[in-house]
């Protein structure tokens, strides 16, 4: 589970693409590339305490890859 007290945007790199991650107050994350919104990721915690990252704009695999990078940022 991610506990985020810092609402500042940060950069991640996904397979050579620089993405900006902006946390929003509802616990979701806005993902932008070159200033354009790509998607909004929503973390959902399962009964087994695993985080499943979801997006209406991309596959679950893509969302999970970005979500894992977000989690790594907070470690």
């Amino acid at each position: 589970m991610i506990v985020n007290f810092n609402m500042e945007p940060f950069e991640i790199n996904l397979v050579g693409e620089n993405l900006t991650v902006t946390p929003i107050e509802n616990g979701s994350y806005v993902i932008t590339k070159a200033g354009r919104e790509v998607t909004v990721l929503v973390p959902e915690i399962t009964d087994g305490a695993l985080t499943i990252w979801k997006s209406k704009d991309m596959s679950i695999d893509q969302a999970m890859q970005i979500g894992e990078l977000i989690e790594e940022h907070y470690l």
Side-chain angles (χ1 to χ4, degrees):
M1 175 184 231
I2 295 176
V3 177
N4 178 22
F5 298 106
N6 182 355
M7 300 300 284
E8 294 296 317
F10 59 92
E11 301 291 321
I12 60 172
N13 187 291
L14 177 66
V15 193
E17 290 186 311
N18 291 323
L19 303 173
T20 301
V21 178
T22 305
I24 51 180
E25 289 184 17
N26 70 1
S28 299
Y29 295 82
V30 176
I31 311 301
T32 56
K33 178 180 173 185
R36 298 185 70 189
E37 184 175 310
V38 175
T39 194
V40 175
L41 286 185
V42 179
E44 294 183 7
I45 309 302
T46 66
D47 290 338
L50 297 174
T51 303
I52 304 297
W53 292 88
K54 296 186 176 182
S55 165
K56 64 179 179 173
D57 304 310
M58 60 180 49
S59 73
I60 188 77
D61 290 336
Q62 291 173 312
M64 289 295 292
Q65 286 180 322
I66 295 171
E68 288 171 9
L69 292 172
I70 292 170
E71 290 174 357
E72 287 177 15
H73 172 80
Y74 290 113
L75 293 179

